[in-house]
Amino acid sequence: MTMISLDAVSKWYGTFKVLDACTTAIERGEVVVICGPSGSGKSTLIKCINALEPFQQGTIRVDGVSVGDPNTDLARLRARVGMVFQHFELFPHLSVLDNLNLAQVRVLGRSRDAASERSLALLQRVGLRDQATKFPAQLSGGQQQRVAIARALSMDPIAMLFDEPTSALDPEMIVEVLDVMSTLAQEGMTMLCVTHEMGFARRVANRVIFMDHGAIVEDVTKDAFFDDPTARSVRAQTFLSKILQH
Amino acid sequence: MNWQIFLETMPEGDAAWWEMLASGLGWTLACAACAWVIALAAGTGIGIARTGASRAAARAAIIYVELFRNIPLIVQFFLWYFVLPELCAPLKRWVIEADPSVVQFLAATSCLGLFTSARIAEQVRAGIESLGRGQRQAARAMGLSEAQCYRHVLLPVTFRVIMPPLTSELMNLVKNTAVAYSIGLAELFFRTREMGEITFRYFEAFAAATLAYMVIALAANRAMRFIERRIAVPGVAGTARSAH
Amino acid sequence: MNGLDLEVITRALPWLAQGLQYTVQLTCVAALGGIALGTILALARLSSHPVVAGVAAGYVNLMRSVPLLLVIFWFYFLVPLGLQWVTGAGSPPRVGAERSAYVTFILFEAAYFCEIVRAGIVSVGAGQQSAARALGLDRIQVLVHVILPQAFRNMLPVLLTQAIILFQDVSLVSLLNVTDFVGAAGKIAQRDGRVVEMYLFVALVYLVLCSAASALVRRWQRTHSIGRHPETAR
């Protein structure tokens, strides 16, 4: 069953085309990694999926609901799609626990106690239950990103979007975040990840999408992408050779 | 120098000069307090409009800020007190019958409140913009509405970030109450001049007023610092971005 | 109220222009004098000599915590007494509010400009100072050739914005019966009983002048900050 589908999605900033007729579909339980050079439109694409960025052409459907339809309740849609940002974007004035509770209480209408119970369980899962009363600034980058993942999970999302979740982290912290993401994938979460972590892609992804200049250039299985490079486009080969060099 | 003058009784009436100045101080504080409430409420609203999704509201907010920032305060006082009643007949009828000090007080608080609100709006806007788009997107990504996003995420951080400039706006407001002298409000500066003109003890009167304004400024500063410390949160103190 | 009488304004224009001229003149003198004195105060505040720094800080804090109106009246009385003391004359000379205002605004604005200049100097950073000293420049050379040129470039928009505020604040001298722009309009307003026309006209002129000036400052800021702050340019 298709969870997220994109059909000929195009987007312009003024006259500059940032997304060029992007078409793909993500099945339930699938883990898809999007990679490509910087400025290729990866982040813009996944921000279009939960309508953080508007797009001008094409359709995006999440669980059958059209994102571009003006009648769609975007808040409700966003509440069902978890998102993790490059710079964590935890709310600095709220404790870790309150970061997780806020939307559960305000959007899902959970009681504070029910929300806290769910939040603590999720913090337990990402190994940070004992940090619940701290403020974000008191945690390391890796811890903050794990809290951000827990915060997204607290809404019981049907899919998760990751926007370069490890690129603002020091190397030793990348692993702890990728571990959390791998576990999530094994549990069957539908995931769309913009990332340069090719090791993660190789281990966890089902499919790899390669983007360049706003267009989806490659959309193939993980094995095809990594093990059969000669069948890939020149641009993807160049990109891969650069990123896998070290 | 004759510091005894403050204990002497005024020529008419039975109050001593120090009591006269104290009553002026009372008007100054009342005027500043009421104007501060207006300024915070209006300034926050305008600051939100300036950064919100509606383009029309943002444009209206820009015009509001430019209007109140680019006309001298004393001219704004004249507009509120002398011009506005002339342009609005029912208001004029009320002004003629009302107690003049009430009219002066209302004109002064409205004038100072809106004048200060334009400055606060700019601080609120700058504060919200300093948070970057990420916080807004993170809040929206979790399904919070725009109003909820401001109420629970953007404003709580913004107000912590802008506490220092808000403190100086409050101190400016207190000082600006002296301009209400121009429409005859019997605030501290008005009473100080009055005392000088009647007793010719200008030096003593001005020294007392200077001291009083310095004490209020200091007290306002301390009060804001106290609030700033009470609401402080790790990583947010004008340094919100450095946490990343 | 029987309609706006715009002819009142046309008839008063030469008189109003004289007032505006005084306002502009006072603004320019006070801005230049204030920046000069403010720079000296800023250097004093940054001085390692505790007494020098303390006196400068005390002066700046005093000026900044007292209403401008009170300062204007203070100097109106103190300037003649000060001149008497300096010249040793038998009685205080008659100075007049028009002229005492120049002293007032230079001394008052210096406190505000001081804080702007100080922030500008601090923004240049210790590395520049060390690098210049390492080249063998003496303290004054470092200041004149390295620190101040960068500092003034960084703070030009803030200085200009402060000058726009000063331009508006000058209007307070009208309460000492000085014929600045607002004072000139006030006198006509009272003589002809045309309060509405005069004050609306004055407000409009200030609005146009100040909006235009701040728009220019913002444009300068935009064109000159590109490349220097790539973070904010996004």
Side-chain angles (χ1 to χ4, degrees):
Chain A
M1 185 201 149
T2 305
M3 191 63 93
I4 300 170
S5 69
L6 288 81
D7 185 19
V9 174
S10 292
K11 174 182 171 67
W12 287 263
Y13 284 130
T15 55
F16 180 68
K17 201 169 193 179
V18 276
L19 290 181
D20 188 1
C22 296
T23 302
T24 190
I26 289 109
E27 300 300 313
R28 178 183 297 244
E30 214 180 0
V31 177
V32 177
V33 161
I34 306 180
C35 60
S38 61
S40 58
K42 304 163 299 203
S43 292
T44 311
L45 186 72
I46 71 163
K47 281 180 180 168
C48 284
I49 292 171
N50 65 351
L52 286 178
E53 296 269 2
F55 53 94
Q56 284 81 33
Q57 265 178 24
T59 42
I60 298 178
R61 286 178 182 279
V62 176
D63 199 22
V65 179
S66 169
V67 175
D69 184 344
N71 295 322
T72 299
D73 181 349
L74 288 179
R76 247 184 84 186
L77 173 79
R78 287 170 178 147
R80 301 178 64 205
V81 181
M83 177 140 189
V84 176
F85 295 82
Q86 181 177 3
H87 292 290
F88 330 137
E89 303 299 350
L90 294 178
F91 305 131
H93 63 300
L94 300 178
S95 69
V96 165
L97 185 62
D98 286 336
N99 261 279
L100 270 69
N101 284 350
L102 178 66
Q104 292 186 64
V105 173
R106 300 286 163 188
V107 179
L108 299 183
R110 285 184 187 155
S111 73
R112 195 155 280 282
D113 288 343
S116 293
E117 196 179 323
R118 175 90 182 109
S119 302
L120 288 170
L122 284 165
L123 286 173
Q124 176 85 40
R125 214 170 121 184
V126 298
L128 292 170
R129 194 187 165 120
D130 50 343
Q131 311 284 343
T133 57
K134 288 199 177 160
F135 285 99
Q138 295 168 310
L139 303 183
S140 74
Q143 290 174 321
Q144 289 191 47
Q145 194 61 301
R146 280 146 65 199
V147 171
I149 295 172
R151 182 176 73 175
L153 291 174
S154 73
M155 304 298 285
D156 300 322
I158 55 170
M160 289 278 283
L161 308 174
F162 291 84
D163 183 10
E164 304 207 27
T166 55
S167 55
L169 293 175
D170 292 334
E172 74 270 21
M173 294 172 181
I174 291 178
V175 182
E176 62 186 65
V177 171
L178 292 180
D179 282 349
V180 171
M181 290 170 65
S182 303
T183 316
L184 208 53
Q186 280 155 19
E187 289 167 1
M189 175 62 77
T190 310
M191 291 166 61
L192 190 53
C193 318
V194 173
T195 183
H196 293 302
E197 296 297 331
M198 289 301 125
F200 171 80
R202 211 184 261 265
R203 267 185 294 117
V204 180
N206 303 107
R207 233 167 66 217
V208 177
I209 289 176
F210 173 77
M211 288 184 73
D212 197 13
H213 293 113
I216 294 180
V217 179
E218 302 278 357
D219 185 354
V220 295
T221 64
K222 164 188 66 176
D223 296 335
F225 191 77
F226 290 111
D227 300 340
D228 193 7
T230 48
R232 305 277 69 82
S233 67
V234 180
R235 282 186 286 182
Q237 282 185 41
T238 327
F239 175 77
L240 267 178
S241 68
K242 273 184 195 153
I243 207 160
L244 295 177
Q245 241 164 24
H246 44 94
Chain B
M1 249 30 58
N2 172 14
W3 300 106
Q4 298 292 324
I5 184 77
F6 294 109
L7 302 175
E8 283 170 23
T9 316
M10 298 167 53
E12 317 155 30
D14 48 4
W17 281 113
W18 74 266
E19 289 173 293
M20 194 70 171
L21 293 184
S23 103
L25 182 62
W27 281 104
T28 291
L29 292 176
C31 185
C34 293
W36 186 238
V37 173
I38 297 173
L40 276 181
T44 308
I46 300 292
I48 291 171
R50 187 83 164 68
T51 56
S54 159
R55 286 209 172 177
R59 206 161 299 148
I62 291 175
I63 292 173
Y64 179 96
V65 170
E66 289 291 307
L67 193 64
F68 285 100
R69 263 208 322 200
N70 288 326
I71 297 174
L73 182 56
I74 186 171
V75 177
Q76 294 193 30
F77 266 105
F78 291 160
L79 292 180
W80 281 97
Y81 191 66
F82 297 121
V83 175
L84 194 61
E86 296 296 330
L87 300 177
C88 174
L91 182 62
K92 171 130 193 182
R93 276 198 295 280
W94 177 78
V95 164
I96 290 170
E97 285 174 16
D99 180 349
S101 60
V102 171
V103 179
Q104 285 154 357
F105 183 77
L106 287 179
T109 47
S110 317
C111 177
L112 286 167
L114 297 197
F115 177 82
T116 309
S117 76
R119 281 144 203 281
I120 290 181
E122 278 302 276
Q123 302 295 353
V124 170
R125 175 191 63 80
I128 290 174
E129 283 175 358
S130 78
L131 303 182
R133 278 199 322 208
Q135 287 282 305
R136 188 191 295 266
Q137 290 188 339
R140 300 307 296 273
M142 303 185 69
L144 294 183
S145 68
E146 189 173 19
Q148 286 176 320
C149 168
Y150 274 98
R151 163 70 187 80
H152 297 292
V153 175
L154 296 179
L155 290 180
V157 184
T158 296
F159 273 101
R160 288 177 168 92
V161 170
I162 66 172
M163 274 308 277
L166 277 189
T167 303
S168 41
E169 285 309 334
L170 176 58
M171 291 163 72
N172 284 339
L173 171 60
V174 172
K175 289 185 280 173
N176 284 336
T177 57
V179 184
Y181 155 80
S182 65
I183 60 168
L185 181 69
E187 44 69 59
L188 179 56
F189 182 72
F190 182 95
R191 291 302 191 192
T192 308
R193 265 218 81 191
E194 190 181 26
M195 177 177 162
E197 287 197 333
I198 294 175
T199 61
F200 290 102
R201 293 286 171 195
Y202 284 105
F203 189 89
E204 290 85 344
F206 282 10
T210 303
L211 194 68
Y213 280 113
M214 287 177 70
V215 170
I216 309 174
L218 193 72
N221 188 303
R222 284 298 141 92
M224 292 294 276
R225 287 278 170 79
F226 176 75
I227 297 173
E228 196 179 341
R229 268 201 311 277
R230 282 298 296 269
I231 63 174
V233 150
V236 185
T239 55
R241 299 309 291 174
S242 67
H244 299 313
Chain C
M1 193 62 231
N2 39 7
L4 289 180
D5 179 5
L6 295 179
E7 215 189 305
V8 171
I9 297 169
T10 21
R11 261 184 286 132
L13 273 183
W15 171 251
L16 290 173
Q18 258 178 37
L20 187 58
Q21 193 200 335
Y22 173 81
T23 296
V24 172
Q25 212 169 300
L26 179 51
T27 305
C28 292
V29 172
L32 293 175
I35 289 172
L37 184 58
T39 306
I40 296 171
L41 279 171
L43 294 175
R45 284 206 70 173
L46 292 167
S47 152
S48 52
H49 196 295
V51 176
V52 173
V55 168
Y59 175 83
V60 169
N61 289 333
L62 173 67
M63 283 295 175
R64 285 163 58 93
S65 58
V66 178
L68 171 56
L69 201 51
L70 186 59
V71 177
I72 290 175
F73 278 79
W74 256 126
F75 279 104
Y76 178 57
F77 296 109
L78 286 184
V79 166
L81 293 177
L83 281 177
Q84 181 192 14
W85 185 72
V86 169
T87 57
S91 65
R94 297 197 138 272
V95 179
E98 279 86 359
R99 270 174 287 170
S100 79
Y102 284 98
V103 180
T104 309
F105 275 92
I106 290 174
L107 293 178
F108 183 78
E109 290 298 321
Y112 285 81
F113 282 121
C114 164
E115 292 304 275
I116 297 172
V117 174
R118 188 165 68 114
I121 290 175
V122 171
S123 78
V124 174
Q128 290 288 309
Q129 172 108 9
S130 321
R133 294 302 291 274
L135 288 171
L137 300 180
D138 65 33
R139 287 164 67 98
I140 305 227
Q141 287 171 320
V142 171
L143 206 57
V144 171
H145 299 295
V146 179
I147 307 292
L148 286 181
Q150 297 185 58
F152 273 103
R153 189 168 308 174
N154 291 348
M155 67 201 175
L156 191 65
V158 193
L159 288 177
L160 291 174
T161 305
Q162 180 64 31
I164 296 171
I165 295 171
L166 166 63
F167 177 62
Q168 296 183 30
D169 281 350
V170 160
S171 59
L172 288 179
V173 296
S174 62
L175 293 177
L176 269 178
N177 216 17
V178 172
T179 312
D180 75 317
F181 189 42
V182 171
K187 282 171 188 170
I188 302 275
Q190 265 156 31
R191 192 194 66 187
D192 297 357
R194 285 292 173 181
V195 176
V196 176
E197 289 87 346
M198 291 319 288
Y199 285 139
L200 281 180
F201 178 69
V202 167
L204 189 68
V205 171
Y206 272 110
L207 185 62
V208 169
L209 291 179
C210 297
S211 305
S214 36
L216 283 177
V217 173
R218 274 198 299 273
R219 214 173 73 180
W220 190 92
Q221 219 169 353
R222 261 205 308 280
T223 51
H224 284 73
S225 64
I226 290 170
R228 208 174 327 152
H229 304 294
E231 272 293 293
T232 52
R234 272 187 296 156

